[in-house]
Amino acid sequence: MTQSADSGSTDLDPEDRKIITLARSARARNGVPEGAAVRDETGRTYVAGTVDLDSLKLSALRTAVAMAVASGATSLEAAAVVTAAETATDEDRAAVRDLGGAGTPVLVAGPDGTLRAVVTAG
């Protein structure tokens, strides 16, 4: 996996490229501001979009982490978020850190799927 934001997604391994593609698809399919995907310790992926209800508001990445936890995941290998923002929020990184640990990579991609940054959950 690349650590450089300017390298583009072509330098990513196939599994990291896959979670960016899934996150981008969720964003587009649901017409939401963000899409996210996480990969657990067994290689399973969980995909989500932003939740914006009157009574419940969750970012796409926190929703994907919650889906992983609800499905029995005990750790994360990686996370991806497709967003117009430049980086993942502290709250999103904290959710990834809670399940995957401080060193879990969070791939941040723009709406076109281009990798902008790789940050750690820590």
Side-chain angles (χ1 to χ4, degrees):
M1 170 176 27
T2 182
Q3 293 295 316
S4 172
D6 59 9
S7 296
S9 62
T10 58
D11 291 346
L12 292 173
D13 73 40
E15 291 301 312
D16 289 343
R17 196 171 316 121
K18 175 184 170 183
I19 62 173
I20 289 175
T21 300
L22 290 169
R24 186 173 180 225
S25 296
R27 181 181 182 270
R29 179 179 56 251
N30 297 325
V32 292
E34 293 181 340
V38 298
R39 185 174 61 246
D40 74 9
E41 73 283 359
T42 68
R44 291 178 298 181
T45 56
Y46 306 87
V47 181
T50 308
V51 174
D52 189 8
L53 301 173
D54 289 340
S55 63
L56 180 63
K57 299 193 184 304
L58 290 172
S59 72
L61 194 48
R62 283 179 271 170
T63 304
V65 170
M67 291 172 65
V69 170
S71 297
T74 58
S75 185
L76 294 178
E77 291 182 350
V81 61
V82 173
T83 179
E86 291 300 314
T87 192
T89 66
D90 291 344
E91 294 86 359
D92 283 350
R93 290 175 51 231
V96 172
R97 182 175 58 245
D98 285 348
L99 186 57
T104 306
V106 179
L107 312 169
V108 182
D112 64 354
T114 300
L115 183 67
R116 289 187 175 157
V118 178
V119 298
T120 61

